[in-house]
Amino acid sequence: MTLGRTLFALIAGLLVAPVSFAAPAETDKPEKQTIVIVHGAWGGSWAFRRIENMLRAKGFDVYRPSLTGLGERAHLGTPEVGLSTHIDDVVNAIRFEDLHRVVLVGHSYGGMVISGVADRIPERLRKLVYLDAFVPNDGESVMGVLGPRSSWAESMIKNGFLVPPWLDGQPWPSDVPQPLKTFTESLSLSNEAARKIPAAYVLMVEK
């Protein structure tokens, strides 16, 4: 998918299905919306740099944490890094930046992560946007969601990582190996408050 299509889909997800909330008083300043973008497997926050710039130009406050072992944090990648590690990454980014009423966006594998974040800190979120992403149920893993298609991922397993063939010879910044545990660890969802968070799904297709 091209960056342009990704940008269009992201903005469409935010604007086509907006969150309804009470209109502010005339004396109140317009609320500045906060967006946290969670990237997909093998990637990093670098992939959304231009999107952040464009959204900030429109008045949004944007954060894009890189998950442990990926992007500029690739040096921290070990077979012990799992889905729960990545959920902690985003939960802590929101808490330590003291963010509230967050529009939380997850791309691809990032859908697993934002689902776990919503279960942990629903009170910090105003909306979930699944950008061509996994939407898991309680107890599911990426491999479980893939089902029969998991053989595609299994063919990439090397020493506790998922190493796809397209990594060879990529210029920086580039995708990096993904810890296997992020695909095999099951997600636990039990917080009923998370189910009340408005959500939107953006499906991207080739034309």
Side-chain angles (χ1 to χ4, degrees):
M1 68 193 74
T2 66
L3 179 61
R5 282 200 295 271
T6 302
L7 173 61
F8 173 80
L10 173 58
I11 293 178
L14 296 173
L15 301 183
V16 172
V19 177
S20 60
F21 56 95
E26 291 184 4
T27 56
D28 291 345
K29 293 182 179 179
E31 179 185 5
K32 189 173 185 178
Q33 294 189 54
T34 299
I35 302 173
V36 174
I37 303 173
V38 180
H39 61 83
W42 301 289
S45 64
W46 55 268
F48 290 89
R49 182 173 58 247
R50 288 179 59 193
I51 292 175
E52 175 185 347
N53 292 338
M54 296 180 78
L55 289 173
R56 284 189 178 277
K58 294 293 185 180
F60 295 100
D61 198 7
V62 183
Y63 296 80
R64 45 186 180 91
S66 279
L67 305 175
T68 299
L70 302 173
E72 74 275 13
R73 304 181 70 198
H75 60 289
L76 300 176
T78 70
E80 285 70 44
V81 171
L83 175 58
S84 57
T85 310
H86 290 168
I87 293 170
D88 286 339
D89 287 336
V90 180
V91 167
N92 286 339
I94 291 172
R95 284 176 169 166
F96 278 83
E97 293 290 346
D98 197 24
L99 305 180
H100 298 267
R101 294 180 59 75
V102 171
V103 175
L104 184 58
V105 181
H107 170 56
S108 191
Y109 162 76
M112 301 291 295
V113 179
I114 69 170
S115 296
V117 173
D119 194 75
R120 290 271 300 279
I121 51 170
E123 71 282 358
R124 296 291 186 111
L125 309 179
R126 68 177 296 175
K127 185 175 184 179
L128 299 174
V129 178
Y130 290 86
L131 180 58
D132 215 19
F134 288 100
V135 184
N137 295 312
D138 177 44
E140 289 186 326
S141 65
V142 174
M143 290 297 198
V145 174
L146 288 174
R149 294 173 295 165
S150 63
S151 58
W152 167 78
E154 291 168 354
S155 67
M156 305 178 190
I157 298 175
K158 294 181 182 179
N159 301 318
F161 289 85
L162 294 164
V163 186
W166 67 76
L167 298 190
D168 292 341
Q170 278 197 104
W172 293 96
S174 67
D175 289 352
V176 298
Q178 175 93 5
L180 173 61
K181 189 176 177 182
T182 63
F183 273 40
T184 59
E185 183 178 353
S186 297
L187 184 62
S188 177
L189 301 175
S190 59
N191 193 336
E192 287 297 323
R195 300 178 184 272
K196 300 178 182 179
I197 302 172
Y201 193 94
V202 182
L203 177 64
M204 294 185 292
V205 296
E206 293 289 344
K207 294 186 67 176

